[in-house]
Amino acid sequence: MPEELSASAQKVQNALTELGYAYRVQELPHSTRTAVEAAQAIGCQVAQIVKSLVFRSKHSNQAILVVASGSNRVNEKQLAASLGEPIERATPEFVREQTGFAIGGVPPLAHANRLRTFVDEDLLQYSQVWAAAGTPFAIFGLEPAELVKMTGGEVTAIK
Ligand code: 5CA
């Protein structure tokens, strides 16, 4: 049987279970803190790693979640244009306050606040992707279409 999950990973597992998913959070012996490390730990392509990136809108001070393919860089100018206001990368403090998780383990769900979310269309081409599950050692695998459902996100070109 797997070991008990850490508190943050268990929070993600509970949220998945409450939504009716059978996905299982796994804590790995190797770091999954970055997309590259996660891909190495799992043995998948970097593009199959789901990055959960938080931005802050500068005028309305809203948290924006971008759920991006691990190999894509977010086009911040385009994101700002679609929001109609400038944005910036969130500070570690803002990320923790809005999501309840620290950078490196931010999952796509189970956040402290409800975040407006954009999902990278490039993720949808894979049969399976892997997302952070609360800590820099925890991940879960899922079908990318479920990312759209669990986040209520808008599918968009983000790169
Ligand atoms: N567990 C992995 C794979 S699922 C993970 O969480 N990757 S991630 O890309 O979603 O989270 C790391 C990201 O946090 C980095 O890509 C970077 O965009 C962001 N980040 C890292 N350090 C900082 C920082 N000091 N301030 C703001 N954002 C940061």
Side-chain angles (χ1 to χ4, degrees), residues 1-2 12 23 50-51 61 63-64 78-79 82-83 91 100 105 110 118 128 150 152 157 159:
M1 280 296 287
V12 177
Y23 302 137
V50 177
K51 297 193 285 196
N61 197 35
I64 314 293
Q78 196 175 293
L79 180 59
S82 49
L83 288 166
T91 61
F118 295 91
Q128 176 150 56
M150 68 175 63
K159 65 175 186 268

Side-chain angles (χ1 to χ4, degrees), residues 31-39 49-55 66 68 70 89-92 95 102-107 130-133 135-139:
S31 169
T32 59
R33 189 176 56 83
T34 67
V36 170
E37 286 177 352
I49 299 297
V50 177
K51 297 193 285 196
S52 299
L53 305 174
V54 181
F55 293 84
V66 177
R89 194 52 79 85
T91 61
V95 172
I103 284 172
V106 178
W130 300 85
T135 82
F137 291 89
I139 47 94

Side-chain angles (χ1 to χ4, degrees), residues 89-145:
R89 194 52 79 85
T91 61
E93 294 73 27
F94 190 75
V95 172
R96 187 181 273 283
E97 171 194 311
Q98 294 291 324
T99 69
F101 298 94
I103 284 172
V106 178
L109 77 168
H111 302 139
N113 293 336
R114 191 162 179 83
L115 312 188
R116 179 159 180 200
T117 302
F118 295 91
V119 178
D120 184 350
E121 63 180 8
D122 286 354
L123 286 166
L124 300 177
Q125 66 190 293
Y126 301 102
S127 54
Q128 176 150 56
V129 294
W130 300 85
T135 82
F137 291 89
I139 47 94
F140 68 101
L142 74 167
E143 293 84 33

Side-chain angles (χ1 to χ4, degrees), residues 9-26 107-110 131-133 139-142 146 150:
Q10 188 63 52
K11 196 157 79 170
V12 177
Q13 180 64 71
N14 292 349
L16 288 167
T17 305
E18 277 164 27
L19 290 173
Y21 290 114
Y23 302 137
R24 284 282 158 246
V25 170
Q26 300 172 39
L109 77 168
I139 47 94
F140 68 101
L142 74 167
E146 298 305 322
M150 68 175 63

